[in-house]
Amino acid sequence: MGDFLDFIYNGYNYKLYVPSEYHSDQAAPLLVMLHGCGQNPEDFAAGTNMNVLAEKENFLVLYPDMNRSINPTNLSGYNPYGCWNWFYDQNQHRGQGHPKLIYEMIHEVKSKYKIDSNKVYAAGLSAGGSLACILGVTYPDVFNGIAIFSGLAYGAANVLFLFDPTAEAAKHRMEKGVPDPYECGNRAFQEMGEFKKKMRVIVFHGICDTVVHPINGKQVITQWAQTNFLVEGGIGLADVTPNEVHSGIMNERSYTQQIYHDGDDLPLLELWMFDLIGHTWSGGNPEGSYTDALGPNATEILWNFFNKPQQQLEENRIETTAIKPIYPPAVLPDDLPALPVTLPIPTIETVMKLPREVTTKTAIEETEKLQIEPPSEGTIITPIVETEKHQNELPSELTVKTPIQGIDTTQTESPSESTKRNAFSSFLSKLMKRKNRK
């Protein structure tokens, strides 16, 4: 392994992972990793396995650490829980607060190591994910891709400490989402100013997240779709319809992946929704906090997105064609609970304890109803509901609008059966007309 080094900048600690194959004569990519509440750089590095991947792919990783020591002259710059204060106005603008701090840390790293300025990225979990979103807005000239795990849209909350010392507005947004994600996109575009640029963004969210409601994942995509649309010169509201939708099972957890193209029909945004995943890093290492060892490996997925945006992970993917589900695995049910949380972000004890499997017995009962072959022992099955009823209950902004790859939701009918059915319908229509004349 390489070196995991300690630094201090302007009163804030940060760690830097330098892979063993790094050479000063060749510029390397740099990834900024922003931890969540109750975490620190060591914990976050262990839980995400990012240093292991950095060693393999030869990139540097910068782990800023939030200041937990109170500073009366800078209340927005510290947090006793180690949360990045994404909800304070001072931390949402270029040249101020957290964005300025991270930018200057990057500048210091560049003074010590040779960094490829075209390959600087940011990723974060929860409060760190929200800050990563802010960095993409405030410094689009610095970052070339953003990964947001269980975060919120830009400007989701704008708290003034004197009027809202417990950040109730931030709590409300975490539980309910924002009233208008398009307006968040408009504000993000304005904030970019002269540095405006289309940003590649990948979003991850577990549908069992009771700390940051999963609706926020979709709203982050809407915000960035609107922001990028305006950067391209668009007028009005962006069409937030995925160009591609994929679903399957990775590492015993089903998922849905939505890909959104830009005005040039190139993939620009991705949304990954994970079944049976809560407020945790999917596919993470249990040696770190806020991780779930099961599920798609978010660490590898985000690096593939940054480094090879056209490439999709195919390893261990199992398309869900054994059963004909009525809706893609990670579509959000209407009654998903939004439990009360402690601000700024609750401790890990409040995270939902997730079931590890769905029993094969339940799956077999459901497949017998559909008169199809039951799954093999150990297969993870997504619950089945009635199509029309479920679609009517879905929030309109969460409904998948394009066909799902690998999932056939229509009844199969041979040409002869179709001809007979049409002829019979025509016969009934003529019969009813004659009856009416009489």
Side-chain angles (χ1 to χ4, degrees):
M1 293 291 288
D3 299 318
F4 204 20
L5 307 173
D6 292 287
F7 296 94
I8 298 178
Y9 177 79
N10 199 21
Y12 287 81
N13 297 321
Y14 72 87
K15 292 187 76 76
L16 181 70
Y17 183 78
V18 183
S20 59
E21 294 299 317
Y22 168 79
H23 298 288
S24 59
D25 60 343
Q26 185 175 357
L30 175 67
L31 172 62
V32 179
M33 287 286 285
L34 300 161
H35 63 72
C37 293
Q39 295 181 314
N40 57 42
E42 293 87 353
D43 179 32
F44 198 39
T48 60
N49 277 327
M50 192 58 75
N51 289 355
V52 176
L53 184 62
E55 179 67 18
K56 177 183 176 182
E57 298 292 337
N58 197 32
F59 61 91
L60 279 69
V61 190
L62 167 62
Y63 296 89
D65 193 11
M66 178 56 176
N67 204 333
R68 292 160 177 80
S69 300
I70 186 170
N71 182 352
T73 64
N74 183 19
L75 293 176
S76 64
Y78 95 101
N79 187 293
Y81 304 101
C83 310
W84 297 101
N85 294 328
W86 55 271
F87 41 82
Y88 287 135
D89 180 75
Q90 184 178 348
N91 295 323
Q92 298 177 16
H93 303 289
R94 186 185 185 95
Q96 299 181 32
H98 292 341
K100 180 175 182 286
L101 172 70
I102 305 303
Y103 169 76
E104 291 177 349
M105 284 183 176
I106 293 172
H107 184 73
E108 183 169 88
V109 170
K110 286 184 174 181
S111 71
K112 301 175 185 295
Y113 300 89
K114 193 171 184 178
I115 301 299
D116 186 344
S117 294
N118 293 317
K119 295 183 178 180
V120 178
Y121 314 105
L125 171 66
S126 192
S130 298
L131 180 56
C133 183
I134 291 170
L135 291 176
V137 173
T138 54
Y139 286 94
D141 51 324
V142 174
F143 296 96
N144 293 275
I146 301 296
I148 303 164
F149 204 129
S150 297
L152 290 88
Y154 176 78
N158 195 320
V159 172
L160 295 176
F161 182 81
L162 293 178
F163 297 99
D164 189 5
T166 58
E168 290 297 316
K171 173 185 176 181
H172 184 73
R173 295 292 177 246
M174 290 163 59
E175 294 177 350
K176 305 294 183 181
V178 301
D180 186 358
Y182 288 98
E183 181 57 29
C184 292
N186 295 338
R187 290 201 298 267
F189 172 72
Q190 293 298 324
E191 178 64 30
M192 282 183 169
E194 62 182 294
F195 303 101
K196 61 186 178 184
K197 182 185 74 176
K198 286 192 295 185
M199 185 63 62
R200 288 192 293 137
V201 179
I202 185 168
V203 177
F204 304 101
H205 221 115
I207 69 167
C208 294
D209 191 334
T210 57
V211 177
V212 178
H213 195 289
I215 194 174
N216 288 283
K218 177 64 177 178
Q219 289 186 338
V220 171
I221 286 291
T222 300
Q223 177 248 293
W224 277 107
Q226 177 68 8
T227 301
N228 288 330
F229 174 68
L230 296 176
V231 170
E232 291 179 319
I235 299 175
L237 302 181
D239 178 13
V240 190
T241 303
N243 298 83
E244 303 173 46
V245 181
H246 308 277
S247 61
I249 298 174
M250 285 185 187
N251 193 21
E252 301 185 39
R253 289 284 185 263
S254 55
Y255 68 92
T256 297
Q257 174 197 16
Q258 298 181 357
I259 302 174
Y260 302 79
H261 292 187
D262 62 9
D264 298 321
D265 202 27
L266 297 175
L268 190 64
L269 308 176
E270 288 193 17
L271 172 63
W272 289 70
M273 302 297 291
F274 304 131
D275 281 330
L276 301 180
I277 297 290
H279 197 67
T280 56
W281 191 275
S282 177
N285 187 333
E287 292 183 3
S289 63
Y290 289 88
T291 62
D292 191 325
L294 299 181
N297 189 324
T299 297
E300 292 186 354
I301 293 172
L302 73 83
W303 183 249
N304 271 272
F305 176 80
F306 290 153
N307 197 41
K308 302 172 184 177
Q310 301 289 345
Q311 178 180 320
Q312 293 182 3
L313 291 178
E314 296 295 338
E315 185 177 358
N316 297 327
R317 174 176 289 186
I318 305 173
E319 295 297 340
T320 53
T321 55
I323 287 185
K324 195 161 49 175
I326 305 305
Y327 65 98
V331 168
L332 304 178
D334 205 24
D335 58 351
L336 188 69
L339 302 183
V341 296
T342 302
L343 286 175
I345 288 184
T347 59
I348 192 169
E349 285 77 10
T350 63
V351 179
M352 176 183 286
K353 296 183 189 272
L354 303 177
R356 290 294 179 183
E357 63 180 359
V358 176
T359 62
T360 305
K361 178 182 178 182
T362 302
I364 292 175
E365 291 174 352
E366 293 295 339
T367 54
E368 287 176 348
K369 294 177 184 179
L370 296 178
Q371 298 181 345
I372 60 177
E373 184 180 354
S376 59
E377 184 72 26
T379 302
I380 305 300
I381 304 299
T382 301
I384 297 175
V385 299
E386 299 175 7
T387 308
E388 184 176 354
K389 176 183 177 182
H390 182 77
Q391 293 293 346
N392 288 338
E393 294 176 349
L394 284 176
S396 60
E397 65 176 348
L398 297 176
T399 304
V400 175
K401 301 178 182 178
T402 58
I404 308 302
Q405 177 175 313
I407 298 179
D408 177 16
T409 60
T410 60
Q411 296 290 338
T412 303
E413 185 176 58
S414 66
S416 60
E417 291 173 335
S418 177
T419 301
K420 292 176 182 178
R421 180 172 54 80
N422 292 338
F424 184 67
S425 297
S426 178
F427 170 75
L428 288 178
S429 177
K430 292 179 180 178
L431 188 62
M432 291 299 297
K433 288 179 179 179
R434 290 178 181 177
K435 182 178 180 180
N436 292 335
R437 291 195 191 101
K438 294 178 180 178

